Amino acid sequence: PESALIQTLTGWDTAARLNQGVGQTQVEVISGVAVRITRFAPTLYFCIAEFSVSGPPALRRRMSVLVITDTTGVHPLSDRGWTVLP
């Protein structure tokens, strides 16, 4: 999930994100990892990457990052913007 989130941020599709309404979620699949991008506000997005294997054993890993956009690009909201989700 880490690399999928990094690829999502480094390959940020500004046009697609601007067309995405506030409150909407779009899903991209990067190397088999589903990345959900939810627009919270005009410049605030929440990205969740999830990877799972049905097993056995069943494995699942989710990570997220809260980002803001401006004229210079997309940036994590804080230095601790990355989170491992249960």
Side-chain angles (χ1 to χ4, degrees), residues 32-67:
V33 177
V35 179
R36 291 170 178 78
I37 304 167
T38 302
R39 190 174 190 180
F40 283 168
T43 61
L44 182 65
Y45 297 84
F46 188 55
C47 304
I48 299 174
E50 181 174 354
F51 178 77
S52 61
V53 177
S54 56
L59 303 172
R60 179 176 165 192
R61 181 157 171 92
R62 296 187 323 155
M63 291 193 71
S64 69
V65 63
L66 190 60
V67 298

Side-chain angles (χ1 to χ4, degrees), residues 12-86:
W12 192 256
D13 186 345
T14 302
R17 300 293 76 83
L18 289 174
N19 288 326
Q20 184 176 342
V22 172
Q24 290 183 335
T25 299
Q26 293 184 351
V27 179
E28 297 180 359
V29 178
I30 300 173
S31 300
V33 177
V35 179
R36 291 170 178 78
I37 304 167
T38 302
R39 190 174 190 180
F40 283 168
T43 61
L44 182 65
Y45 297 84
F46 188 55
C47 304
I48 299 174
E50 181 174 354
F51 178 77
S52 61
V53 177
S54 56
L59 303 172
R60 179 176 165 192
R61 181 157 171 92
R62 296 187 323 155
M63 291 193 71
S64 69
V65 63
L66 190 60
V67 298
I68 57 171
T69 58
D70 60 24
T71 57
T72 63
V74 59
H75 315 281
L77 191 58
S78 70
D79 291 337
R80 298 180 188 173
W82 298 86
T83 306
V84 175
L85 300 171

